[in-house]
Amino acid sequence: MEVTPINEKLKTLINNPKIADVKFLVGRNKIEMYGHKTILAISSIMWKNMFFTGNWGEVSQKNEGISQVVIPDLEPKAFLAILRFSYLREIELDPEITPEILYAADKFDMKELKQMCLKFIVKTFTTRTALFTLEKSIKFKQRELIGTAIHYIERKSKTIFSRDKLFNKISEQTIEFILQSNNLFISEQRLFQLLVSRGKYLCLKRKIKPTPKNMKKVLGNLPNLIRLDLLGISGLKEIYNSQMYDLEMVFKRCLAIADKYENQVGSNSEKSRKMLVTREKLTVDQINVLVLVSETREQYKRDVINSIKHQGISQVTSMDVSRRIPTLEEIKNYDSIFVFSCDPFKDPVEMGDLLADYVETNRGLIICSIFALENGEFGRNLKGRIVNEGFLPIMKGRVISHQESHIGEVEISEHPIMKEVTSFNGGKFSYRIDATNVQTGSSVIARYVDGNILIAENRKEDDFGAVVVLNLWPISDEISTNGNYWLTSTDGAMIIANTVQYASTV
């Protein structure tokens, strides 16, 4: 006799009023939904407390032995998903409803479901869904998701805010939250233009004329969040002509700002918040460098750090990424990152995503690791966004070794990295990637005598930090006295130190 699987039997119990012992009144309209206390109590301690400890005031006893629970803060579709997961440990997620399911999972202390929701949301983020995810996260007070959503929006703000319609459809509270960010890669003038478009949209929706007075009324506090001190002259003129601000105040401020910033950013310049807020010119003794290293030999690490310090940089910290990949929060305040590896990364995809996120905070990245850039032959290469989204100036390639080579043509002799550099010899081994061409938008700074690239740079966006690849093995013959590694009689330390200083301050 064929036995029906238990899940198939449990499916028949979900939201079935015939043999239920608890009725839920769900959402604003108090839609009736049904469940079974014992099954629910097994799936979550919160359900157990609700039904059997008396700690939840929402439970009331009704006729025929059926308890009644009011769930006013969830919509029926989300609550049905919670019931399904409680009975079957199955869930069907989609971008529209998942933030609400996440809120419910948090409410009912369903940790497994919460993690499933978070992973799904991060995996399915798009420029179209991010704003609405942030809106629902704010509504349901999901702090972890709010942080993830706003970070995505900050990184993709140019694309997200290229369309007025998305800005028109989200709530004033969500826009207010976004406008409080210091990390938007979008000009203040564009933000103001989006507010004007929203004002016109809301006026037409309410069937009133889009006059300055009416637009100011429907926009509420949002115009006050535009930062006038980040606008160029053309943006200030646009503000003035909109008549949504006190004209005398704006005019006086325009004059003051024009005097202050004309020489600094140009009379018609548009800068993003990120560009103006974060990068300052640092002196060598102020530069704070992080070395992300996957290498067990301590003498190798010390040799690399000594080269970084060659020109006076003293603040150098190292983290071992063979055991754990740090978070962006842990690394974002360093002025530049230097990546060196011989061993595999703990997670090459997570590592690559982290480095891309870091570059998008307008910080410089130096990759000085032939194994991170190899084509997969050794299984130690970088993966993730840093590779897939065009951040690297050169493509991954095969490793060349045991073919001694030295610096050849310098294509940008005036580049800061080449300051006081007159020679470089990679030693008998001269490890390097076989790469002669750069990716679109990148520049070759110097080549080996055999034509392979020695130094290359990419600035993917004006608002992003520089990504410099040093296509060399950074260990010197101080470690290998038989001349296998780069020769300290040449300028390898100068190249490394100059690159770190450049990436930290450009």
Side-chain angles (χ1 to χ4, degrees):
M1 183 178 72
E2 186 177 348
V3 179
T4 305
I6 186 65
N7 265 24
E8 292 300 318
K9 294 180 179 181
L10 288 173
K11 279 182 184 179
T12 65
L13 300 180
I14 299 172
N15 198 24
N16 186 340
K18 292 184 178 180
I19 53 175
D21 58 359
V22 59
K23 178 169 68 175
F24 300 96
L25 301 179
V26 183
R28 289 170 295 181
N29 296 325
K30 295 186 176 181
I31 302 299
E32 293 183 0
M33 305 182 78
Y34 297 88
H36 304 81
K37 295 178 184 178
T38 302
I39 295 175
L40 293 171
I42 292 172
S43 69
S44 164
I45 189 67
M46 297 300 290
W47 289 119
K48 182 178 179 181
N49 290 340
M50 178 184 287
F51 300 130
F52 300 114
T53 67
N55 292 339
W56 281 59
E58 291 94 335
V59 181
S60 58
Q61 200 69 28
K62 292 296 179 181
N63 296 331
E64 301 176 358
I66 295 181
S67 300
Q68 181 172 291
V69 183
V70 179
I71 310 286
D73 52 348
L74 287 176
E75 292 304 314
K77 187 176 179 181
F79 189 72
L80 184 60
I82 292 293
L83 287 178
R84 182 179 179 84
F85 186 81
S86 298
Y87 281 72
L88 307 176
R89 278 301 186 266
E90 295 177 1
I91 192 76
E92 294 180 6
L93 299 174
D94 65 68
E96 182 179 348
I97 196 173
T98 302
E100 190 169 356
I101 296 175
L102 174 62
Y103 166 75
D106 194 31
K107 176 186 177 80
F108 296 117
D109 196 27
M110 303 172 79
K111 294 182 175 63
E112 181 186 357
L113 179 57
K114 182 178 179 181
Q115 288 304 312
M116 291 171 65
C117 290
L118 285 170
K119 287 181 180 179
F120 176 84
I121 290 168
V122 172
K123 186 177 179 180
T124 57
F125 261 143
T126 69
T127 53
R128 290 186 175 274
T129 63
L131 288 174
F132 300 106
T133 299
L134 176 63
E135 185 166 52
K136 290 185 177 181
S137 304
I138 294 171
K139 176 183 177 182
F140 295 119
K141 300 178 181 178
Q142 291 295 302
R143 293 183 180 179
E144 187 174 359
L145 186 53
I146 288 172
T148 303
I150 193 65
H151 176 60
Y152 182 90
I153 291 166
E154 287 167 347
R155 289 194 290 108
K156 300 291 185 180
S157 50
K158 278 188 176 180
T159 303
I160 290 172
F161 298 126
S162 64
R163 300 185 293 270
D164 294 3
K165 289 183 179 180
L166 287 178
F167 210 70
N168 293 342
K169 292 181 179 179
I170 56 178
S171 68
E172 181 177 335
Q173 183 185 18
T174 304
I175 296 175
E176 189 167 333
F177 191 92
I178 292 169
L179 292 181
Q180 290 170 354
S181 169
N182 291 328
N183 301 321
L184 298 174
F185 292 103
I186 182 173
S187 72
E188 208 71 14
Q189 186 171 358
R190 176 57 183 155
L191 288 173
F192 175 70
Q193 290 166 352
L194 288 168
L195 287 189
V196 171
S197 174
R198 178 181 174 84
K200 291 178 180 178
Y201 169 81
L202 291 177
C203 284
L204 292 174
K205 189 175 180 181
R206 299 180 188 185
K207 297 181 180 180
I208 57 177
K209 290 184 177 180
T211 62
K213 183 178 180 180
N214 286 339
M215 288 171 62
K216 185 177 179 180
K217 182 178 180 180
V218 297
L219 288 172
N221 185 53
L222 297 180
N224 296 328
L225 299 177
I226 295 296
R227 303 178 188 182
L228 302 184
D229 56 329
L230 298 186
L231 287 162
I233 297 302
S234 65
L236 292 167
K237 287 180 180 177
E238 203 168 331
I239 289 278
Y240 182 86
N241 292 332
S242 73
Q243 298 182 32
M244 288 196 294
Y245 295 79
D246 180 82
L247 297 185
E248 184 177 355
M249 179 274 292
V250 173
F251 182 71
K252 289 179 179 179
R253 195 158 186 181
C254 284
L255 294 176
I257 292 168
D259 288 341
K260 182 178 180 181
Y261 286 103
E262 187 167 8
N263 292 328
Q264 180 178 341
V265 299
S267 61
N268 199 35
S269 178
E270 292 186 14
K271 299 288 185 181
S272 74
R273 293 181 175 187
K274 192 66 181 176
M275 290 180 72
L276 284 176
V277 170
T278 61
R279 297 295 272 178
E280 297 178 359
K281 197 70 174 177
L282 301 173
T283 59
V284 171
D285 61 310
Q286 293 174 319
I287 293 172
N288 193 4
V289 183
L290 175 63
V291 180
L292 295 180
V293 58
S294 182
E295 168 60 68
T296 57
R297 290 162 288 192
E298 289 298 324
Q299 68 270 32
Y300 280 24
K301 297 178 189 178
R302 287 195 300 270
D303 191 67
V304 170
I305 290 173
N306 286 339
S307 293
I308 291 172
K309 292 181 175 181
H310 180 69
Q311 288 290 81
I313 294 173
S314 59
Q315 300 181 70
V316 182
T317 305
S318 67
M319 290 185 184
D320 184 354
V321 287
S322 67
R323 298 185 178 185
R324 185 181 75 88
I325 306 299
T327 65
L328 182 63
E329 192 67 26
E330 292 175 88
I331 71 172
K332 69 179 183 180
N333 291 324
Y334 290 94
D335 301 307
S336 65
I337 285 178
F338 188 98
V339 176
F340 163 61
S341 66
C342 183
D343 300 327
F345 301 107
K346 174 67 175 176
D347 185 327
V349 174
E350 187 179 350
M351 180 72 175
D353 290 348
L354 174 72
L355 294 178
D357 290 347
Y358 176 80
V359 171
E360 289 177 336
T361 68
N362 197 21
R363 297 291 197 275
L365 171 67
I366 307 102
I367 296 181
C368 188
S369 171
I370 51 113
F371 291 110
L373 299 172
E374 57 96 2
N375 57 15
E377 178 183 358
F378 297 92
R380 310 177 200 175
N381 53 308
L382 270 173
K383 298 178 182 179
R385 293 183 56 233
I386 196 72
V387 176
N388 300 333
E389 296 186 12
F391 286 87
L392 299 178
I394 66 174
M395 298 289 287
K396 294 188 294 183
R398 68 180 181 88
V399 176
I400 301 174
S401 66
H402 294 76
Q403 298 178 29
E404 184 172 349
S405 192
H406 57 272
I407 193 169
E409 181 184 3
V410 178
E411 297 196 6
I412 309 178
S413 59
E414 69 278 8
H415 198 287
I417 291 175
M418 302 309 299
K419 182 181 179 182
E420 299 181 23
V421 174
T422 59
S423 64
F424 174 75
N425 187 310
K428 293 177 183 178
F429 289 175
S430 288
Y431 291 113
R432 59 198 183 277
I433 294 296
D434 183 11
T436 57
N437 298 312
V438 292
Q439 299 208 69
T440 304
S442 300
S443 304
V444 176
I445 298 170
R447 294 182 182 272
Y448 286 97
V449 70
D450 65 0
N452 277 299
I453 293 167
L454 172 59
I455 309 169
E457 176 188 12
N458 184 17
R459 292 298 297 271
K460 190 170 184 290
E461 300 279 353
D462 289 341
D463 294 355
F464 292 178
V467 178
V468 180
V469 165
L470 298 181
N471 187 17
L472 56 89
W473 179 245
I475 310 304
S476 74
D477 65 1
E478 290 283 345
I479 301 300
S480 175
T481 55
N482 55 8
N484 289 338
Y485 302 155
W486 71 263
L487 306 183
T488 51
S489 59
T490 63
D491 296 322
M494 185 71 74
I495 289 173
I496 291 172
N498 284 350
T499 303
V500 172
Q501 185 173 348
Y502 169 74
S504 300
T505 59
V506 65

